[in-house]
Amino acid sequence: MKRPIIIALDFPTAERALAFLDQFPADLHVTVKIGMELFYAAGPSIVTEVQARGHAVFLDLKLHDIPNTVEAAMRVIGQLGVTYTTVHAAGGHVMLSAAKRGLVAGATAAGVTAPKLLAITQLTSTNQAILNQDQQIMGTVRASVVHYAKLSRASDCDGVICSAQEVQAIHTAVGADFLGITPGIRPASAQSDDQQRVMTPAAAAKAGSNGLVIGRPITQAADPVQAYRDIMTEWSN
C-alpha cells in the first residue's frame, strides 16, 4: 500500500499477536508494526509467521548504538524481508549511514528488497518540557524534529518517524518524497493515552503524512477489523 495504515502489534506473545491477526479476512493484507515487546518475546520467527499470512512488516526496534554495532544488527534485519525498520536519528550521521549500509548488505546477501530505513526524530510522547528539561535540547520540538529530518536525509535514510503535526514542516525542509510516517494517531472518539502530540487520521492526511501507525484504537476495539476499515475510510477520504 502506498500510504499504509500500520497496525501496532503491541502484544506480549506471538500467540496473542497471531490470534489478533487471524480475525482479519484472508484476503485483507495489512501492514503491521512489530516492536520491541513482541520481537524480544518471540524473536525473528514472528516476522516469518506474519509474512506467511500475507502481511507486510514494519520492524520497529529503534536501534541506537555505536556505528559498528548498528551496522551489524541492520545486516541481520536486512535479511528478513521486512518493509520498514527504524533507527534513532540522535545517533548521528555516522551511525545512520552505517545502518543503511548494513541494511543494503543484508538484503543483497538474502536476495530481498532492502527495507525502508526510517529515523526516529522525537517520540510522540515527548513534549516541550521533556525536550528542554530532560533532554537539555533548547528550542521547540518542531525545530528538533526538522533538524533530525535534515540529518536523516543527508545520511541516506528513506524517511522519518514523526508526529503528524510536524510532517508538513519536514516535507517543506527536505522534500515531499521523504517519508513521514506518523504514530500518535487517534480517531476523534479515542483517548490520547500516553501520546502528547496527536492528530486524527483525516487531519494527518491533510497534513501530508505518508503512513499512519495506530495501535490501541484498533487492537483494543470491540471489532478490530471494522475499526481498521473505519480508519482507512477516514484516512483515504
Side-chain angles (χ1 to χ4, degrees):
M1 185 181 297
K2 189 174 182 180
R3 293 195 315 153
I5 288 178
I6 302 167
I7 303 172
L9 294 183
D10 294 329
F11 296 102
T13 66
E15 290 76 18
R16 285 183 58 181
L18 295 173
F20 168 80
L21 284 178
D22 286 344
Q23 297 176 77
F24 285 73
D27 61 345
L28 181 55
H29 298 149
V30 299
T31 302
V32 301
K33 178 179 80 74
I34 295 175
M36 288 182 277
E37 179 185 22
L38 182 56
F39 190 80
Y40 293 161
S45 64
I46 186 61
V47 174
T48 303
E49 291 183 75
V50 168
Q51 290 170 330
R53 286 165 163 77
H55 306 303
V57 173
F58 166 25
L59 185 59
D60 184 26
L61 301 182
K62 298 181 174 70
L63 271 61
H64 189 176
D65 211 314
I66 63 172
N68 185 66
T69 298
V70 170
E71 182 172 356
M74 284 296 189
R75 194 175 298 118
V76 176
I77 291 173
Q79 298 177 47
L80 298 177
V82 300
T83 304
Y84 308 95
T85 195
T86 52
V87 64
H88 268 287
H93 172 70
V94 175
M95 190 200 75
L96 293 170
S97 298
K100 187 58 179 272
R101 283 197 308 273
L103 275 183
V104 172
T108 300
V112 297
T113 301
K116 299 289 187 185
L117 180 59
L118 305 174
I120 306 296
T121 54
Q122 289 290 345
L123 300 174
T124 51
S125 59
T126 299
N127 59 22
Q128 193 69 40
I130 292 172
L131 181 80
N132 297 155
Q133 297 171 20
D134 296 357
Q135 298 183 19
Q136 285 289 288
I137 295 175
M138 297 302 102
T140 65
V141 173
R142 175 168 294 193
S144 175
V145 168
V146 170
H147 165 71
Y148 279 140
K150 291 177 178 178
L151 174 67
S152 301
R153 173 124 220 184
S155 305
D156 206 24
C157 295
D158 299 289
V160 291
I161 303 294
C162 63
S163 164
Q165 295 177 14
E166 294 115 22
V167 72
Q168 192 169 27
I170 288 170
H171 285 160
T172 298
V174 300
D177 61 327
F178 194 65
L179 298 176
I181 305 297
T182 56
I185 301 298
R186 292 291 185 270
S189 60
Q191 295 181 347
S192 295
D193 298 309
D194 56 351
Q195 305 283 6
Q196 297 290 330
R197 306 194 318 283
V198 300
M199 192 173 280
T200 66
K206 186 175 181 180
S209 295
N210 301 111
L212 309 181
V213 181
I214 304 178
R216 285 165 281 192
I218 297 175
T219 59
Q220 296 183 10
D223 185 341
V225 177
Q226 189 58 50
Y228 173 83
R229 293 187 191 278
D230 289 345
I231 293 170
M232 178 63 74
T233 298
E234 182 180 348
W235 169 237
S236 300
N237 291 341

